[in-house]
Amino acid sequence: MTAFALIDGNSFYCSCERVFDPKLESRPVIVLSNNDGCAVARTNEAKALGIRMGAPYFKIRSLCEREGVVALSSNYALYGDMSRRMNEIYETFSPRTEVYSIDETFLDVTDVPPGDRMPWAKDLSATIRRWTGIPTCVGIGPTKTLAKLANKAAKKLSDGVLDLTDPDERARVMANFPIGDVWGVGPANQIKLGSIGIAFADQMRDLDPRRARELMTVVGERIVYELNGQPCLPLEDVPAVRKGCAVTRSFGERVTTKLAMEQAVAGYATRLGEKLRRHGLATDHVTVFMHTSRFADNEPQRNVSMTVDLPEATNDTLQLIKASRRAVDQLWRSGYRYSKAGIITDDLVRPADRQRALFDTLDQDKASKIMQALDEANRRWGRATVFPAAMGVTRTAFSTKFERRSPRYTTRWEELPQCR
DNA sequence: TCTGGGGTCCTAGGACCC
DNA sequence: TCTGGGGTCCTAGGACCC
């Protein structure tokens, strides 16, 4: 019988910050999204103050100041590095793992005898705590959906570990488990299920799969089977090839000039090129969009996008910039205060498989050597050591704001924590 | 003044074909 | 009077995830 474990970091971003700044221990802490916009991670102390996931910071700022909540900008270099360390340790606990998100990993525990699973999970969690400083929860079940459910239920337990392999234990937990907390049931489907009287996980488990399909397509049908202990979702231990890639940002300050927009979008195109090359992928079209703030409903609104085709698939930054600049030329209208722009691609291909242009006007090999040199320089000396002039040379007002960022303790020598 | 940034999968419906 | 009957492919939009 297959069995899955799901381990995740508690208030992960906040816990990363606490590892390197012990003063944050037992204090309420939140981590903010880009531009210090919204709360995206909260410690239990912050949740207890009523701070909701996604709450805009400007709306909770006075509460935070009054209650002594520490609000930090996000520090993705730190969180990504901590995540990588944790995943290295997981691999010593299971032969097969699936990294599901920056702070969640599924582990195949089929070969751990049922009676040993609780001690195994406690050992896993304790080892992660000891070696990385991050507190975690572990849930175990016969399907991924049930492992997710067990993990969520484990958050309420003192040791943060719950094994729902046993059907009776499972039924008891599911009878009190809100349907909206089930993996795959979002707000829209929660309303649909509520309308036929389904409020808890055990009720969906007992729903006719055909009825679930009518209501929520095949996705709902799978959830019913998974809640019954029949796996529909395999462990994806070989990461799938990425299908799309996007770079989008809200501006630190509204953009009102075409030059600023061109520079911002050139920067996104540069970042897109880096991401494509790191994954060994290329694209033959890019979609550029720009829009004003939908919250500023007293201002004139504009929300436009345009797709530009490239002669052949590429991940060359200079070509991506050229294509996206053509889109900006077409889309730009003065008189608006733009709040966000971005570049999106899909249908990614491996460069070797790409469709060659009929008339090959570009020397792809030469371009690829330039990009290799660029990536190497930026890898060695830090991002944006070498960058295209189209991005502009000053750190401009539209750049994303991180006014409360902690040091990059583990990935920059000059920001290493110090003992005195 | 101030509201994130990515991803995936599924389906309906239109375009097009014979 | 009566106006076919399938297929496939593509795209936009919705829903979900973290």
Side-chain angles (χ1 to χ4, degrees), chain A residues 121-146:
Chain A
K122 286 179 186 176
D123 183 31
L124 172 63
S125 185
T127 303
I128 293 294
R129 184 68 191 247
R130 205 158 53 236
W131 291 1
T132 68
I134 300 291
T136 55
C137 284
V138 185
I140 295 177
T143 66
K144 286 166 96 174
T145 302
L146 287 167

Side-chain angles (χ1 to χ4, degrees), chain A residues 213-259:
Chain A
R213 192 179 189 123
E214 285 166 17
L215 231 47
M216 301 172 55
T217 78
V218 68
V219 177
E221 186 177 10
R222 279 202 286 253
I223 293 172
V224 171
Y225 285 120
E226 285 253 322
L227 289 175
N228 275 286
Q230 291 183 47
C232 301
L233 307 168
L235 190 87
E236 318 252 1
D237 54 345
V238 181
V241 175
R242 178 193 281 262
K243 297 183 166 67
C245 196
V247 180
T248 70
R249 292 284 181 283
S250 295
F251 301 125
E253 284 177 15
R254 297 276 187 266
V255 162
T256 54
T257 68
K258 190 176 178 196
L259 177 64

Side-chain angles (χ1 to χ4, degrees), chain A residues 131-336:
Chain A
W131 291 1
T132 68
I134 300 291
T136 55
C137 284
V138 185
I140 295 177
T143 66
K144 286 166 96 174
T145 302
L146 287 167
K148 283 282 277 187
L149 190 152
N151 170 282
K152 188 115 185 170
K155 305 262 173 218
K156 295 210 175 83
L157 308 177
S158 58
D159 59 1
V161 173
L162 181 60
D163 176 10
L164 293 183
T165 302
D166 175 66
D168 294 334
E169 171 83 6
R170 192 156 75 223
R172 274 195 297 280
V173 171
M174 289 173 76
N176 296 303
F177 195 89
I179 194 66
D181 287 348
V182 171
W183 191 35
V185 178
N189 286 319
Q190 188 182 347
I191 290 168
K192 279 190 196 170
L193 291 165
S195 75
I196 59 167
I198 292 181
F200 294 99
D202 61 332
Q203 295 173 292
M204 182 152 184
R205 174 198 64 201
D206 297 336
L207 187 65
D208 184 337
R210 287 166 303 187
R211 187 88 176 87
R213 192 179 189 123
E214 285 166 17
L215 231 47
M216 301 172 55
T217 78
V218 68
V219 177
E221 186 177 10
R222 279 202 286 253
I223 293 172
V224 171
Y225 285 120
E226 285 253 322
L227 289 175
N228 275 286
Q230 291 183 47
C232 301
L233 307 168
L235 190 87
E236 318 252 1
D237 54 345
V238 181
V241 175
R242 178 193 281 262
K243 297 183 166 67
C245 196
V247 180
T248 70
R249 292 284 181 283
S250 295
F251 301 125
E253 284 177 15
R254 297 276 187 266
V255 162
T256 54
T257 68
K258 190 176 178 196
L259 177 64
M261 182 65 80
E262 283 170 348
Q263 291 182 346
V265 172
Y268 305 155
T270 302
R271 181 80 191 106
L272 181 71
E274 288 169 8
K275 286 168 84 170
L276 291 176
R277 293 193 295 278
R278 182 154 50 84
H279 288 97
L281 295 168
T283 181
D284 66 0
H285 58 272
V286 294
T287 301
V288 173
F289 74 84
M290 59 182 76
H291 64 68
T292 51
S293 170
R294 66 184 191 279
F295 299 105
D297 45 19
N298 53 336
E299 289 181 17
Q301 295 282 311
R302 183 167 170 80
N303 182 351
V304 287
S305 73
M306 181 185 178
T307 301
V308 177
D309 290 323
L310 292 146
E312 66 178 46
T314 184
N315 53 30
D316 174 62
T317 293
L318 299 180
Q319 288 193 59
L320 297 173
I321 288 178
K322 210 162 95 181
S324 54
R325 179 185 287 257
R326 275 175 39 211
V328 172
D329 263 336
Q330 291 290 313
L331 295 174
W332 177 261
R333 296 287 183 281
S334 300
Y336 298 93

Side-chain angles (χ1 to χ4, degrees), chain A residues 26 49 122 240 361:
Chain A
S26 81
L49 290 169
K122 286 179 186 176
T361 53

Side-chain angles (χ1 to χ4, degrees), chain A residues 28-47:
Chain A
V29 179
I30 61 174
V31 170
L32 304 170
S33 63
N34 275 354
N35 273 319
D36 298 340
C38 303
V40 292
R42 307 153 297 151
T43 61
N44 285 334
E45 296 84 353
K47 289 174 192 170

